[in-house]
Amino acid sequence: MQDPFKGFNDDDQNNQNGNGPQGLPLPPNYATVVNADGNMRIAKVGFSWTMLFFPPFPTIFRGDWYNLLCILGIELSVSMLLVMTVNVNQLAQITSVFQPVLGLVWGSLYNMMYFKHLFNRGFVPADDRSRDLLMQAHYWSQPKEK
């Protein structure tokens, strides 16, 4: 099968970016994690553009209900705080500034939140490349020996 990422970032002459499911190549900024049951998750490491432009959909598509409820709870709490403290005439202006700022916050944090939740559920990096990528992004640290 032809590598769809060849030429885009052609520093991978020996397929160092690992193989995904069915032998498909993974983009360089994607990591693979697995749990003891053999369940595999593949996700991007870094900024989430889909959370910036389409806020709740990445959590829904990934079945990440925990982080969806956390994000909705924080947004609801902040919105209630704004409604209680800000004058009604200024609320539309503040909301128009507030929503893009929240989009940047969720875009910056969501992929890290997703991986951290997976690690709490028993997932670990599937290969050395994923482990190195997750450690470089500070999403995962080597477990301490007991």
Side-chain angles (χ1 to χ4, degrees):
M1 170 176 280
Q2 185 178 3
D3 184 354
F5 304 107
K6 189 161 185 79
F8 174 70
N9 188 3
D10 204 12
D11 61 351
D12 186 27
Q13 298 299 325
N14 297 320
N15 196 22
Q16 297 296 318
N17 67 341
N19 286 326
Q22 288 90 32
L24 294 173
L26 290 176
N29 57 343
Y30 277 66
T32 306
V33 293
V34 295
N35 68 1
D37 296 333
N39 293 328
M40 179 187 293
R41 300 285 189 269
I42 301 171
K44 181 181 177 191
V45 174
F47 191 82
S48 175
W49 291 98
T50 50
M51 276 302 282
L52 175 66
F53 294 115
F54 313 107
F57 292 119
T59 58
I60 294 168
F61 294 151
R62 290 179 177 175
D64 188 14
W65 309 116
Y66 174 80
N67 284 325
L68 174 67
L69 293 175
C70 290
I71 289 169
L72 291 178
I74 290 171
E75 287 203 12
L76 182 64
S77 300
V78 171
S79 297
M80 288 176 19
L81 184 66
L82 278 175
V83 167
M84 290 189 302
T85 58
V86 174
N87 186 355
V88 175
N89 299 331
Q90 298 172 337
L91 191 61
Q93 294 171 340
I94 291 174
T95 304
S96 66
V97 171
F98 176 71
Q99 288 302 322
V101 169
L102 266 182
L104 286 172
V105 168
W106 297 133
S108 300
L109 294 178
Y110 175 66
N111 284 335
M112 181 183 61
M113 291 169 54
Y114 179 66
F115 275 112
K116 296 271 185 173
H117 183 64
L118 288 176
F119 296 146
N120 287 336
R121 291 178 45 206
F123 283 80
V124 294
D127 54 15
D128 290 337
R129 189 196 64 80
S130 294
R131 186 194 70 227
D132 293 342
L133 181 63
L134 291 166
M135 287 178 75
Q136 181 182 359
H138 303 290
Y139 286 11
W140 190 71
S141 60
Q142 190 72 26
K144 296 181 177 94
E145 298 286 328
K146 292 184 179 180

